[in-house]
């Protein structure tokens, strides 16, 4: 396809956010009689689903300690539910299984879910939790669990199938998607800081509006836009904390046990909810009985026919290098730096066995192929959704985002002049104004 010299909206990135925004923007333009999908061009330096959205575990949940995140997730779950077939969405539910140190946090989440009408059950106390879990899986054996939050909605979606489903919806609205076209910079007007064109490796595309949905590559585009690499944050102590790096990378640890996915079903033979366990019970090796950790740890897992086994992950680790020195490319399983190693395999397989007897002795069938990938995190590890330089909408989800299919709808509404209160807690100004999200006791930076 030859490149247009001008298009009203350029969307950078064909992952969940770029595709979802383009689709909803196209539908919104048409409904308002203000244009159509033909006004929108998605450009991707690689291809649809070639970024984080194409390797994500695909878990969709509401369970967040931060009220603003829960509201956003409830909205997104409704979008997944609106077209489960096209989105390849499996509404099996989700369970947050926790130790006493997280009991109060999760109780608060449950109460808020009741308040916003998000269906869930909450089980408290070690004995009742064990009974509940054994009612689902008769081989359940994790000790030290004192609360179980069972979300009846949510579950997971097949990563690339969901992206192709979303792309087909966008294209049906007239949106064009160009693969293999890399954005290298921007041109600006002489009288304002607004972007007038997108510089690509095949020339400049003039535009009125840019949407940035580039996932782990956000720092590069952020730099092209001359946005600050350090921020000042007003802390809960009321003091300003200067010089905080804008971007930090974390390495996501995920993998697949090469078993028949059908071996992980409930006692009733149903597909189980996604299981997420956090615990402070000592974790011992399922290989030789040695102590792996006596600190808080967490894992998640689900049977997944797409990955061909029981797939899941464990806590990510922070990439200690300066953001400028982190190589995002080659990305995901192709990265020489950020794929899981033997210590993840040992820990995750042992943790599965810690939770359910059916996984004992299964470490040898772990699928030993490259997996995992990095995410770009903001200073508080929560998303930034905001407009910069007057006409550039940056969707920086801080790696929360496969589940956030609804954000594109809210962003499209915002662009069309219908701002949503759900996006307000994620504005960039929150750092300077000290409007920070509460922090939980979870071992994950995204809960
Ligand atoms: C291993 C792993 C597991 C995860 N699991 C989950 C999960 O279970 N649930 C969940 O909710 N989230 C999960 N996440 C997070 C989630 O995947 C991301 O937050 C989300 O996919 C980001 O979507 P995106 O559209 O912003 O970016 P991406 O999906 O990364 O897409 C960005 C696109 O931009 C393109 N691009 C980049 N730079 C340029 C440029 N200069 N010019 C043109 N194109 C460019 C890339 O080629 C890419 O296709 C996981 C992340 C990882 C790494």
């Amino acid at each position: 396809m030859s490149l247009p010299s001008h298009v009203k909206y350029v969307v950078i990135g064909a992952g969940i956010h770029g595709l979802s925004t383009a689709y909803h923007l196209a539908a919104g333009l048409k409904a308002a009689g203000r244009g159509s999908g033909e006004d929108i061009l998605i450009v991707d330096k690689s291809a649809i689903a070639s970024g984080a959205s194409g390797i994500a575990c695909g878990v969709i949940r509401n369970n967040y300690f931060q009220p603003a995140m829960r509201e956003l997730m409830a909205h997104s779950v409704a979008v997944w539910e609106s077209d489960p077939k096209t989105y390849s969405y499996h509404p099996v539910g989700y369970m947050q299984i926790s130790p006493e140190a997280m009991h109060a946090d999760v109780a608060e989440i449950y109460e808020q879910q009741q308040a916003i009408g998000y269906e869930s059950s909450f089980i408290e106390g070690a004995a009742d939790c064990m009974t509940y879990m054994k009612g689902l899986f008769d081989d359940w054996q994790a000790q030290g669990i004192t609360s179980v939050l069972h979300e009846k909605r949510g579950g997971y979606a097949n990563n690339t199938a969901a992206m192709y489903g979303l792309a087909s919806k966008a294209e049906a609205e007239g949106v064009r998607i160009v693969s293999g076209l890399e954005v290298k910079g921007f041109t600006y007007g002489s009288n304002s800081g607004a972007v007038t064109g997108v510089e690509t490796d095949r020339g400049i595309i003039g535009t009125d509006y840019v949407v940035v949905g580039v996932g782990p590559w956000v720092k590069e585009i952020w730099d092209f836009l001359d946005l600050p690499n350090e921020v000042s944050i007003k802390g809960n102590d009321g003091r300003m904390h200067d010089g905080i790096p804008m971007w930090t990378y974390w390495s996501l640890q995920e993998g697949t046990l090469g078993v028949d996915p059908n071996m992980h079903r409930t006692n009733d033979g149903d597909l189980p909810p996604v299981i997420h366990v956090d615990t402070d019970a000592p974790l011992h090796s399922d290989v030789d009985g040695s102590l792996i950790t006596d600190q808080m740890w967490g894992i998640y897992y689900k049977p997944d026919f797409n990955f061909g086994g029981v797939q899941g992950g464990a806590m990510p680790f922070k990439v200690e290098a300066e953001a400028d020195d982190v190589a995002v490319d080659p990305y995901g399983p192709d990265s020489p730096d950020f794929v899981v190693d033997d210590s993840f395999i040992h820990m995750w397989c042992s943790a599965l066995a810690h939770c359910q007897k059916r996984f004992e002795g299964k470490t040898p069938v772990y699928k030993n192929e490259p997996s995992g990938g990095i995410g770009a995190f903001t200073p508080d590890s929560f998303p930034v959704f905001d407009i910069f330089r007057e006409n550039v909408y940056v969707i920086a989800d801080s790696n929360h985002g496969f589940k956030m299919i609804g954000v594109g709808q809210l962003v499209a509404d915002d662009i069309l002049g219908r701002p949503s209160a759900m996006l307000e807690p994620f504005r960039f100004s929150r750092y300077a104004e000290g409007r920070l999200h509460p922090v939980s006791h979870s071992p994950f930076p995204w809960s």
Side-chain angles (χ1 to χ4, degrees):
M1 176 186 151
S2 62
L3 288 188
S5 57
H6 182 275
V7 67
K8 214 164 171 187
Y9 302 95
V10 173
V11 176
I12 311 172
I16 187 100
H17 298 306
L19 293 168
S20 177
T21 305
Y23 164 56
H24 289 288
L25 185 59
L29 284 168
K30 190 155 82 186
R34 288 169 52 186
S36 73
E38 286 172 18
D39 298 317
I40 304 169
L41 182 72
I42 302 180
V43 301
D44 196 294
K45 68 175 180 173
S46 184
I48 296 167
S50 60
S53 306
I55 58 168
C57 183
V59 172
I60 294 153
R61 63 182 160 106
N62 180 271
N63 172 44
Y64 273 96
F65 183 60
Q66 301 71 26
M69 290 292 278
R70 281 197 296 272
E71 283 209 38
L72 204 55
M73 298 313 159
H75 170 268
S76 276
V77 169
V79 175
W80 285 107
E81 288 168 345
S82 69
D83 191 354
K85 194 158 173 270
T86 308
Y87 294 144
S88 205
Y89 169 57
H90 307 280
V92 292
Y94 173 90
M95 298 182 88
Q96 168 67 48
I97 299 163
S98 318
E100 194 51 26
M102 288 174 62
H103 189 156
D105 287 358
V106 185
E108 222 177 293
I109 294 171
Y110 170 68
E111 276 161 29
Q112 246 265 328
Q113 288 181 340
Q114 301 312 294
I116 62 173
Y118 194 86
E119 196 191 345
S120 61
S121 308
F122 191 49
I123 299 90
E124 296 173 272
D128 284 359
C129 287
M130 185 58 89
T131 305
Y132 191 83
M133 291 310 298
K134 277 192 174 289
L136 269 179
F137 306 111
D138 51 21
D139 65 336
W140 185 261
Q141 55 189 13
Q143 300 295 318
I145 298 301
T146 64
S147 72
V148 172
L149 177 71
H150 186 170
E151 298 182 353
K152 303 300 165 63
R153 295 169 65 190
Y156 71 100
N158 298 121
N159 50 27
T160 46
M163 292 313 105
Y164 279 101
L166 206 41
S168 69
K169 284 168 92 92
E171 286 176 325
E173 292 286 342
V175 174
R176 288 162 295 166
I177 304 175
V178 183
S179 300
L181 186 67
E182 183 166 357
V183 172
K184 299 281 202 180
F186 298 98
T187 57
Y188 301 99
S190 45
N191 297 326
S192 78
V195 165
T196 54
V198 176
E199 290 177 350
T200 75
D201 51 2
R202 279 163 45 200
I204 295 175
I205 306 170
T207 190
D208 299 347
Y209 207 98
V210 177
V211 176
V212 178
V214 294
W217 292 270
V218 64
K219 183 186 179 322
E220 185 179 37
I221 299 288
W222 189 262
D223 289 346
F224 291 159
L225 292 166
D226 267 336
L227 295 171
N229 270 307
E230 287 187 345
V231 291
S232 297
I233 301 183
K234 187 172 179 187
N236 292 330
D237 54 6
R239 290 185 22 240
M240 288 307 281
H241 300 263
D242 299 323
I244 311 287
M246 182 60 208
W247 303 111
T248 310
Y249 295 91
W250 286 68
S251 183
L252 283 292
Q253 306 277 288
E254 294 196 345
T256 305
L257 204 58
V259 290
D260 177 354
N262 282 309
M263 65 88 80
H264 180 37
R265 289 198 172 242
T266 66
N267 295 342
D268 293 337
D270 294 330
L271 282 173
V274 175
I275 301 293
H276 182 123
V277 180
D278 293 316
T279 179
D280 45 19
L283 177 61
H284 289 98
S285 165
D286 188 47
V287 178
D288 59 17
S290 61
L291 180 70
I292 295 177
T293 181
D294 55 4
Q295 305 296 307
M296 184 94 145
W297 55 271
I299 59 160
Y300 46 95
Y301 58 98
K302 59 180 169 26
D304 194 316
F305 295 86
N306 185 36
F307 280 97
V310 168
Q311 193 268 350
M315 303 91 70
F317 66 82
K318 193 173 186 172
V319 177
E320 292 303 340
E322 297 281 322
D324 277 330
D325 299 331
V326 175
V328 181
D329 286 312
Y331 186 66
D334 296 331
S335 167
D337 305 322
F338 304 116
V339 288
V340 302
D341 63 12
D342 288 349
S343 66
F344 163 79
I345 300 169
H346 187 204
M347 182 270 164
W348 186 65
C349 293
S350 298
L352 289 173
H354 173 103
C355 295
Q356 294 190 248
K357 196 167 181 56
R358 73 190 70 183
F359 297 119
E360 287 181 1
K362 292 284 191 281
T363 305
V365 299
Y366 176 87
K367 283 191 170 185
N368 207 345
E369 57 201 11
S371 61
I374 57 172
F377 284 65
T378 63
D380 58 357
S381 298
F382 293 108
V384 169
F385 305 130
D386 214 341
I387 299 160
F388 298 88
R389 287 188 161 273
E390 300 172 41
N391 63 349
V392 181
Y393 212 115
V394 176
I395 305 174
D397 71 8
S398 201
N399 205 72
H400 291 273
F402 181 87
K403 65 182 84 59
M404 295 171 129
I405 196 170
V407 164
Q409 186 183 48
L410 301 174
V411 167
D413 281 349
D414 207 357
I415 294 170
L416 292 168
R418 299 189 297 262
S420 163
M422 272 186 269
L423 295 180
E424 282 314 306
F426 301 100
R427 301 305 189 196
F428 182 66
S429 58
R430 73 174 181 272
Y431 297 126
E433 292 167 2
R435 290 184 292 113
L436 303 179
H437 296 275
V439 176
S440 77
H441 290 91
S442 157
F444 290 78
W446 58 67
S447 286

